[in-house]
Amino acid sequence: SSDVEHTGEVGDIYDFIKGINNYRVFKFAVWKGEVGKLLEVYSKADLPRHDNIFCFLPEQHLQTDPSLFN
């Protein structure tokens, strides 16, 4: 299956994303069922287990509305 959930651990995905470019990784500050801001993920331990992550290149992050971030 090509489903990421079945081919690797969450930490492997984090390593891959960080390794392919200088991405900044974010998660919802609160559960995805609520409207909230994005919180930066600084390590694998901070990754959500059952939620989405958002990846921005540094220049994309600078161009994004700062009110979206915690």
Side-chain angles (χ1 to χ4, degrees), residues 9-53:
E9 296 294 323
V10 175
D12 295 336
I13 296 165
Y14 179 80
D15 288 340
F16 176 77
I17 290 169
K18 295 295 276 184
I20 59 172
N21 216 320
N22 192 24
Y23 283 105
R24 293 178 69 182
V25 178
F26 294 83
K27 65 181 180 180
F28 284 116
V30 296
W31 181 69
K32 69 180 176 183
E34 300 176 29
V35 175
K37 297 187 181 231
L38 298 177
L39 182 65
E40 190 157 9
V41 173
Y42 292 103
S43 73
K44 292 184 223 183
D46 290 336
L47 287 167
R49 291 290 173 208
H50 302 288
D51 212 339
N52 298 318
I53 59 170

